[in-house]
């Protein structure tokens, strides 16, 4: 079994540490823009127990402008390379096939595509050839327009249907189902209330039958329960991890690691008969 597929074997909910090397991400934008600081933060998250470090070079916050592929690569490639050299399992958070391919060549074992293959027509065939794990997130359009696309009759049913379409497209392109992870995309083309509906619909999302990654950490949907901006949302983010771990989530994508591992451990104890 390859290291990449071993990531997907059944087990407790994995904690995926977020490392945004962007000047403008909503929570950690600007904090890790130089390679040294970014690498040390990635190593620290891994040392705390993150299974994977997710390196992103393009902000996806609502309204964010796109950057070109060259800028994105310049941001992520040195960090992915250095972390992989240190033995850290790295995922690259990108919607671009070219960035995905260069990062996997540099040692990344997962491509985390918030567009689920919709942003770049080359992405799915590229990932099929790379043979890495692929995270396909629910997405309806780039950040500049996504909030206009937050219209649903039944948000959970539509997210499930649209994720199933992505599974079909990915497998048609040659990505084996045992390399696929799905993500319902909290906050992406969803209002805060719709994101809470999706969280309540966890059983339907997990019912698809593939591993599911969730990204609630510090998101705006938490504002009603934890007002005060992104930095004030960590405790609520951890509470959500307990809920997701109790429902068998494959992973949670988070800004802090140790408290989420504690939430996963609590969920594990509660499930023991
Ligand atoms: N959220 C963000 C970026 N990448 N990837 C996945 N798979 N799921 C998410 O929910 C997700 C993501 C935006 O959050 P950030 O700015 O804190 O990274």
């Amino acid at each position: 079994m390859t290291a990449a597929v071993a990531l997907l074997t059944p087990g407790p909910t994995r904690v995926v540490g977020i490392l945004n090397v962007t000047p403008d991400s909503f929570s950690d934008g600007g904090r890790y823009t130089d390679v040294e600081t970014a690498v040390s933060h990635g190593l620290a998250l891994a040392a705390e127990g993150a299974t994977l470090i997710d390196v992103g070079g393009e902000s996806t916050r609502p309204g964010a402008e796109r950057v070109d592929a060259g800028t994105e690569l310049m941001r992520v490639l040195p960090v992915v390379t250095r972390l992989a050299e240190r033995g850290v399992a790295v995922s690259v958070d990108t919607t671009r096939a070219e960035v995905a391919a260069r990062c996997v060549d540099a040692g990344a074992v997962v491509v985390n595509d918030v567009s689920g293959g919709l942003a770049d027509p080359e992405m799915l065939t590229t990932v099929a050839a790379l043979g890495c794990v692929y995270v396909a997130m629910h997405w309806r359009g780039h950040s500049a327009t996504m909030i206009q696309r937050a219209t649903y009759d039944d948000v959970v049913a539509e997210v499930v249907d649209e994720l199933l379409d992505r599974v079909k497209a990915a497998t048609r392109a040659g990505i084996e189902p045992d390399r696929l992870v799905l993500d319902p995309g909290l906050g992406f083309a969803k209002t805060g209330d719709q994101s809470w509906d999706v969280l309540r619909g966890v059983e339907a999302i997990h019912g698809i039958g593939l591993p599911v990654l969730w990204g609630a950490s510090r998101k705006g949907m938490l504002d009603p329960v934890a007002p005060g901006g992104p930095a004030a949302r960590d405790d609520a983010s951890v509470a959500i991890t307990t809920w997701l771990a109790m429902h068998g989530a494959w992973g949670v994508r988070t800004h802090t690691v140790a408290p989420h591992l504690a939430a996963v451990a609590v969920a594990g104890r509660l499930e023991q008969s």
Side-chain angles (χ1 to χ4, degrees), residues 18 20 25-28 54 59-61 93 112-114 135 137 183 185-186 188 213-217 219 253 255:
I18 300 172
N20 286 320
S25 287
F26 78 95
S27 157
D28 51 359
D54 189 37
S59 171
T60 49
R61 73 180 156 73
D93 185 346
N112 171 28
D113 176 4
V114 299
V135 180
M137 201 192 77
D183 184 325
L186 298 174
F188 285 81
L213 174 66
W214 294 78
S217 187
K219 287 206 174 146
R253 185 180 172 278
H255 295 86

Side-chain angles (χ1 to χ4, degrees), residues 128-188:
L130 290 169
C132 58
V133 168
Y134 182 60
V135 180
M137 201 192 77
H138 176 259
W139 184 88
R140 286 186 166 183
H142 286 289
S143 302
T145 60
M146 67 181 172
I147 203 59
Q148 297 151 28
R149 300 173 199 261
T151 53
Y152 301 87
D153 290 324
D154 178 336
V155 67
V156 176
E158 287 170 56
V159 167
V160 168
D161 281 352
E162 290 168 36
L163 283 174
L164 284 170
D165 286 345
R166 295 295 83 217
V167 174
K168 279 187 213 136
T171 48
R172 254 196 325 266
I175 304 175
E176 300 90 348
D178 68 356
R179 293 182 191 279
L180 270 177
V181 174
L182 300 178
D183 184 325
L186 298 174
F188 285 81

Side-chain angles (χ1 to χ4, degrees), residues 11-33:
T13 301
R14 272 77 164 180
V15 176
V16 175
I18 300 172
L19 181 55
N20 286 320
V21 287
T22 54
D24 57 343
S25 287
F26 78 95
S27 157
D28 51 359
R31 289 188 63 185
Y32 308 113
T33 45

Side-chain angles (χ1 to χ4, degrees), residues 36-49:
E36 291 308 319
T37 319
V39 170
S40 353
H41 187 59
L43 290 173
L45 294 174
E48 266 187 73

Side-chain angles (χ1 to χ4, degrees), residues 13 186 199 202 206 214 216 239-249 251-252:
T13 301
L186 298 174
L199 264 181
V202 57
H206 288 179
W214 294 78
I240 287 182
T241 289
T242 313
W243 164 258
L244 292 171
M246 291 201 69
H247 285 90
V252 286

